[in-house]
Amino acid sequence: MSITTDERYRLFIGGERAEASTGEYLTTEDPATGEPIAQYAAATAADVDRAVEAARDALNGWQAKQPGERGEVVQGLADAVRDNAEELARIETLDQGKPLTSSRRAAEGLARCFEYYAGAADKLEGKSIPAGEDALDFTIREPYGVSAQIIPWNAPLNLAGHGTAPALVAGNTVVIKPAPTTPLSALHLAELFDEAGVPPGVVNVVTGGAEPGAALSGHEGVDTVSFTGSVPTGQAVMESAAKTITPVTLELGGKNPAIVMPDADLDEAVSSIAIGIFSNAGQICAAADRAIVHESVYDEFVERVVEWAESMTLGPGEEDPDMGPLNHAEHYETVLDYIDVGVEEGATLETGGDPLDGEGYFVEPTVFSDVSNDMRIAQEEIFGPVLTVIPFGDRSEAIDIANDIELGLTGGVFSRDIKTALRTAREIDAGSVYVNQWFGGPLGAPFGGVNKSGIGRQMGLEGLDSYLQTKNIAVDLTMDEPDES
Ligand code: NAD
């Protein structure tokens, strides 16, 4: 598994590498330099047909396995990821741009995710429903069939596995469609899976842009679609899935509020929020985008978070800096445009805002103060290293600001007072709320959004619900009792 700039990656269909039907290739580049890394096959709708057919053909064999056997195969994937963690981390850093330490953490997180779901394989129980003495009623949980996994470019290694693991243990087969700027980790994973004994066709990978994504989400042979990405593409996925009445799980964007109360431990709030917004150069759906800070500690918070931002090292991910580049040229331009918008809207640019001289898609960690919640930089997901800091006077105003937004993925509150912290956590409209930390929660915690941030949950036992449907079985037990007279 070595990467060279002239290597060509083919699709992975039915356990084999396959050319795209057109024979065409696209290029993926190193975001730290803008230089090409490798070419990969540009899948078309016809290639998606082949991948879905392979996944359908593999369904019977996969579902015929004992649940525990499926669990063992998925445990084998955890082991394969761990055994190849360094290689996978380097691929992720090269293709996505993130610092090596965070790619290594991602590889370990992926191994743990497979492990977690491997253990659940033989515990996917139904329930019995009281039906009286003349009847028996119970449910069984059945796989949907073929699961499409359409994933974005910000965390391609983890996201290739987060839906695949529960889908597999539940008895589904999978077609993964990675994003066009980060195709490599899913292709490497598929090969590892093959070596680890996943039967041919159980996991397939089609690479390319919108065409294979759209073909997959509207495909008659796909039984459930899990999409992680932007709101507009999520809407398109939902529309095309509507034609075939295919269920969708949508993990979409965030513009997440972090409320800092006057009694917060400021060290904790500053470090958590800085890590929350600058990790992966802000390209995290759960990022701490909007710091909503009480006016009594506002100036001190801004001063300290600016110090934090200015102390950060930037560089190519393989040098393991604090922050790497943005993932690709178009996104880099978008983030720089948002910084201009912030200045035009009248926010104060406290630090950052500039690209780095030289090659690659680097943007400095950026902090805006004097932000009001109706500004575009407070309402729209920038998905870059740009923190907006908004003042508030009392707790109800903080909640109003936090919830005055169309999205609702994560949120957070910093307070030393338990009642304030927990009431505020309950009142923030979001799928996950962090208290006195950011990016909290164990592996088993469900993750997903409210409002326009999505539908359904990934991770945890709830994450299995996207891959299992309930069948109810009703049995008549009435008997003609023998006449004993
Ligand atoms: P995107 O919506 O542009 O693309 C996501 C995937 O959809 C890619 O694989 C893309 O090729 C594919 N696609 C494009 N057009 C399609 C179509 N018409 N039909 C089907 N698929 C299509 O998103 P992105 O720019 O790659 O990722 C960034 C977004 O992802 C951000 O909004 C971020 O918040 C979100 N995200 C959300 C989560 C979460 O868990 N909620 C996690 C990571 C990223």
Side-chain angles (χ1 to χ4, degrees), residues 150-154 159 177-180 209-210 213-214 217 227-230 233 237 251-254 285 381 383 409 447:
I150 304 174
I151 59 178
W153 45 259
N154 65 317
L159 294 174
K177 211 299 280 173
S217 53
F227 170 82
T228 306
S230 62
T233 314
V237 164
E251 296 282 350
L252 308 179
C285 53
E381 187 186 39
F383 218 51
L409 192 59
F447 184 81

Side-chain angles (χ1 to χ4, degrees), residues 324-371:
L326 295 169
N327 176 253
H328 53 274
E330 192 187 335
H331 184 55
Y332 166 80
E333 295 300 339
T334 304
V335 171
L336 290 174
D337 284 350
Y338 267 116
I339 292 168
D340 291 343
V341 166
V343 172
E344 281 157 24
E345 286 181 311
T348 304
L349 179 60
E350 295 279 352
T351 189
D354 287 322
L356 286 196
D357 288 340
E359 57 189 10
Y361 308 127
F362 296 93
V363 174
E364 292 174 331
T366 300
V367 177
F368 277 109
S369 65
D370 303 321
V371 176

